Amino acid sequence: MSVHLHWFLPTGGDGRTLVDRHAYTDGGIGRSGITPVSGVRAPDIEYLAQIAKAAERLGFEAVLTPTGTWCEDAWLTAVALAQQTERLKFLVAFRPGLISPVLAAQMAATYQRITRGRLLLNVVTGGDSTEQRRFGDHLDHDRRYARTAEFLSVIRGAWGGRPYDFDGEHYQVEGGLTALPPDPLPEIFFGGSSAAAGPVAAEHADVYLTWGEPPAQVKEKIDWIRGLAEERGRTVRFGIRLHTLSRDSAQDAWATARRLLDDLDPETVAAAQQALGRSESVGQQRMLALHGGSRDRLEISPNLWAGVGLVRGGAGTALVGSHADVADRIEEYHELGIEHFVLSGYPHLEEAYWFGEGVTPELAARGLLAQAPSAAANGRPAPGGAPLLFAGGR
């Protein structure tokens, strides 16, 4: 079982700060609860192309493109960047309920052909009713997961090559199909920590994706999903979403983490925590519980730092330390059964190089990568298929 490394495209903006330029307080429309910060980089196509090209050069298999109000559209951004890269795959995030599953199946099939199999599809159920209503979706949390289960049934049926009928609570389809199904058919990744999410993962996911909790909690999730899948006669693989802050020495890495923390004033943290606390996402509430809104004792497990989650929604923890330290933690998660690591860091361009030139060679030396990073950088195909990722979009 090899480690698969993926990076992140900050389509909502980037910079040398943890301050998430998504919404706090007033829904983010006026951004009155965010202290102005310097060093913010707009997510223009030229800058995102730099990150995508760096990720490809450094041997990452794919980049995750998030979805939401404060991000550029994931489909359009990814197809533009696919024209500027050769091997890099794109984890394109979108939400069931906002698009027909048959249309999504057709879009995915077309995208696979245009990019020669470089699409990974990230289906986001959504854990924030305010955000969902902004897009016209008024289902509650549990019904959204029920709809996602139907969505995945329909999208697989439409890829079957024959007219497909489906009569569910949320979708009624007659003769749904894609004239030319995607080849290869994408795998499905799924993320969700609630009781409503577990059965969907067990029934539909090829890979279950979790945010970066301490290893013991991650093991509990793995055991939970694995057990549910076994009851259904299925096998599920696992992935994790984390930030990284890797340096030549642990001292330098932790100094950078302290600098990021020093940039956060109490008002910004309080506004972020208030907004994030309203989320219906069980995974988000688990992220908040790791630090409780406090700056004290943010190293919640060796080299696992919860400072990111003070102001950022979604993935809120980072692996911090020397390159060997970070490789140790990745190896620890890998021993629990984690294969896919979806990573990011602030700023995303520089941190891609810190990780790719520091941690990736460590992992290769330990035999954890299917292909040495130098091989990917020299133009030979990167490892891995073209999975359909189903998880939280950030």
Side-chain angles (χ1 to χ4, degrees):
M1 182 180 71
S2 299
V3 165
H4 299 268
L5 300 174
H6 313 289
W7 198 243
F8 183 83
L9 277 176
T11 62
D14 198 12
R16 301 186 304 275
T17 173
L18 291 180
V19 175
D20 194 347
R21 284 152 298 280
H22 299 76
Y24 309 139
T25 60
D26 58 354
I29 305 303
R31 287 170 166 76
S32 60
I34 301 178
T35 301
V37 293
S38 60
V40 172
R41 304 173 188 176
D44 57 58
I45 198 66
E46 291 80 12
Y47 178 62
L48 294 175
Q50 289 185 59
I51 298 174
K53 291 177 180 179
E56 182 172 71
R57 179 179 181 84
L58 293 164
F60 290 99
E61 294 182 31
V63 286
L64 169 63
T65 16
T67 183
T69 301
W70 314 113
C71 306
E72 297 290 359
D73 178 78
W75 284 101
L76 296 176
T77 302
V79 78
L81 294 174
Q83 308 311 305
Q84 303 194 40
T85 53
E86 298 178 4
R87 302 172 306 278
L88 189 70
K89 300 182 180 74
F90 292 88
L91 286 64
V92 177
F94 77 103
R95 306 178 188 222
L98 307 183
I99 186 173
S100 157
V102 177
L103 177 58
Q106 183 183 36
M107 292 168 66
T110 301
Y111 204 115
Q112 283 287 61
R113 287 188 291 278
I114 290 174
T115 64
R116 295 177 177 85
R118 292 196 284 144
L119 173 68
L120 298 82
L121 199 54
N122 178 20
V123 182
V124 180
T125 298
D128 182 349
S129 287
T130 300
E131 174 81 356
Q132 295 298 124
R133 289 195 298 269
R134 186 175 290 132
F135 286 95
D137 180 15
H138 292 268
L139 293 187
D140 62 28
H141 176 276
D142 287 3
R143 291 181 70 202
R144 288 198 295 269
Y145 276 101
R147 180 180 60 195
T148 294
E150 291 190 10
F151 181 94
L152 294 174
S153 295
V154 173
I155 202 171
R156 285 189 186 277
W159 282 337
R162 299 187 304 273
Y164 176 77
D165 295 338
F166 184 87
D167 185 15
E169 178 184 357
H170 303 283
Y171 298 106
Q172 295 81 42
V173 173
E174 297 179 8
L177 81 160
T178 52
L180 294 173
D183 184 18
L185 288 178
E187 293 180 321
I188 296 175
F189 285 44
F190 174 91
S193 299
S194 68
V200 183
E203 187 68 33
H204 295 280
D206 297 304
V207 178
Y208 175 83
L209 192 64
T210 180
W211 284 329
E213 299 179 1
Q217 294 181 30
V218 169
K219 183 179 185 304
E220 289 177 358
K221 280 190 174 181
I222 290 174
D223 292 344
W224 171 49
I225 298 298
R226 182 174 286 151
L228 290 175
E230 287 175 352
E231 291 174 3
R232 293 160 171 79
R234 300 188 68 246
T235 300
V236 176
R237 293 176 286 118
F238 299 91
I240 195 167
R241 173 81 178 90
L242 287 158
H243 305 279
T244 70
L245 206 170
S246 171
R247 295 293 184 269
D248 294 337
S249 72
Q251 181 179 3
D252 287 346
W254 286 109
T256 303
R258 287 192 294 272
R259 194 269 301 165
L260 290 171
L261 196 62
D262 289 343
D263 285 344
L264 306 178
D265 60 70
E267 292 76 17
T268 296
V269 173
Q273 291 297 294
Q274 183 181 28
L276 296 173
R278 293 193 293 267
S279 173
E280 296 174 331
S281 167
V282 174
Q284 182 64 73
Q285 298 308 316
R286 289 171 69 104
M287 284 283 100
L288 295 177
L290 295 177
H291 53 71
S294 171
R295 297 169 184 254
D296 300 328
R297 296 183 297 277
L298 286 173
E299 188 178 5
I300 56 175
S301 184
N303 305 109
L304 185 64
W305 185 62
V308 180
L310 289 174
V311 290
R312 187 195 192 280
T317 53
L319 299 178
V320 180
S322 68
H323 305 311
D325 290 337
V326 173
D328 285 344
R329 300 287 77 79
I330 289 176
E331 188 169 11
E332 181 178 11
Y333 282 117
H334 181 255
E335 289 174 352
L336 295 178
I338 299 292
E339 295 181 46
H340 291 263
F341 292 79
V342 184
L343 308 170
S344 55
Y346 295 88
H348 288 76
L349 181 59
E350 288 91 325
E351 289 300 331
Y353 276 98
W354 277 114
F355 186 94
E357 295 177 342
V359 181
T360 301
E362 284 272 353
L363 297 173
R366 302 179 190 198
L368 294 176
L369 300 180
Q371 176 178 315
S374 59
N378 288 333
R380 291 190 288 276
L388 175 132
L389 280 194
F390 171 72
R394 304 200 309 136

